[in-house]
Amino acid sequence: MDRPFSQACENNKQAILEVLREVLSDSGEVLEIGSGTGQHARYFAEHLPHLSWQPSDLVQNHAGIRQWLADYTGDNLAQPLQLDVTERPWPLEIGDAVFTANSLHIMSWRSVQSMFDYLAGAAPTRNVLVVYGPFNYGGEYTSESNARFDLWLAEQSPDSAIRDFEAVDELAAQAGYRLQAGYAMPANNRCLVWRKMSRVSQ
């Protein structure tokens, strides 16, 4: 069986790696939420050997992720965990970093809220959260291609949409995070970095 392949992952992996090298230089354990095909997990674990990388996704994606992990010879890449961000509790303790790419616009807004709600109580202080994907700013698309993409998302699912940066940043702030940096990325995407400044009681 051919392993799954995402051209978007292939296109953006180097640009994301450059950001992760900078913002996760002092981190040790990374939970990846929504590992998808597994391409990112394999690539980042290989190029960031100081990180222990934990992929996670819905169970239907695990077979494909395992195919990407099968011939990896390093010791810093774990097998995928089953994770639905709306379920409680999550199946692991959250370490010092969380990464997710091209997920917030796919999952429902309720799921986005649920993810931040869990991080509020479960993520430790100083946790670094890195989110890659398209965002609107000031209620406006940043490009015509993003506007077309948002229409396509709506055709796939009424729950999917490009998220407003301000709304996501507010969820992060309520969860105890403060925005540290925002990077312009290929194809009109952004890589946003928050750090947990305080633990929020649930």
Side-chain angles (χ1 to χ4, degrees):
M1 179 188 300
D2 292 336
R3 59 188 180 183
F5 180 81
S6 165
Q7 188 61 51
C9 285
E10 187 68 21
N11 294 345
N12 63 36
K13 64 183 184 181
Q14 182 60 39
I16 297 175
L17 175 63
E18 292 174 6
V19 173
L20 297 183
R21 276 200 176 114
E22 179 179 344
V23 303
L24 299 184
S25 60
D26 296 329
S27 298
E29 299 178 351
V30 181
L31 166 64
E32 181 184 15
I33 298 175
S35 297
T37 63
Q39 287 167 251
H40 275 165
R42 166 66 185 268
Y43 185 77
F44 297 146
E46 182 177 0
H47 289 82
L48 300 168
H50 72 286
L51 295 176
S52 176
W53 199 273
Q54 176 61 69
S56 73
D57 211 314
L58 302 177
V59 69
Q60 58 262 35
N61 293 323
H62 284 201
I65 295 170
R66 289 194 180 98
Q67 285 182 280
W68 278 94
L69 274 52
D71 60 351
Y72 183 69
T73 58
D75 60 0
N76 64 324
L77 180 55
Q79 291 299 309
L81 287 176
Q82 181 177 347
L83 176 60
D84 179 334
V85 296
T86 66
E87 295 181 352
R88 301 291 186 267
W90 289 8
L92 79 169
E93 289 190 8
I94 299 173
D96 49 16
V98 174
F99 169 78
T100 189
N102 287 328
S103 58
L104 268 59
H105 60 275
I106 300 298
M107 65 176 72
S108 68
W109 182 243
R110 183 179 72 87
S111 294
V112 176
Q113 292 172 311
S114 185
M115 182 187 81
F116 278 100
D117 179 68
Y118 193 79
L119 292 175
T125 303
R126 307 300 293 169
N127 175 268
V128 178
L129 172 62
V130 183
V131 178
Y132 172 89
F135 288 91
N136 295 332
Y137 286 81
E140 301 289 338
Y141 297 111
T142 60
S143 67
E144 291 184 5
S145 63
N146 276 5
R148 292 192 298 270
F149 181 53
D150 203 33
L151 287 174
W152 181 84
L153 287 171
E155 293 173 354
Q156 310 310 304
S157 169
D159 289 331
S160 298
I162 294 178
R163 306 303 174 191
D164 290 334
F165 160 75
E166 293 82 2
V168 175
D169 190 45
E170 177 61 25
L171 290 180
Q174 292 171 1
Y177 287 86
R178 182 180 299 168
L179 187 70
Q180 302 291 292
Y183 299 83
M185 304 295 280
N188 301 300
N189 289 299
R190 300 284 291 178
C191 200
L192 304 178
V193 183
W194 288 272
R195 184 177 288 274
K196 185 85 169 286
M197 307 307 292
S198 60
R199 197 165 188 142
V200 179
S201 60
Q202 299 294 289

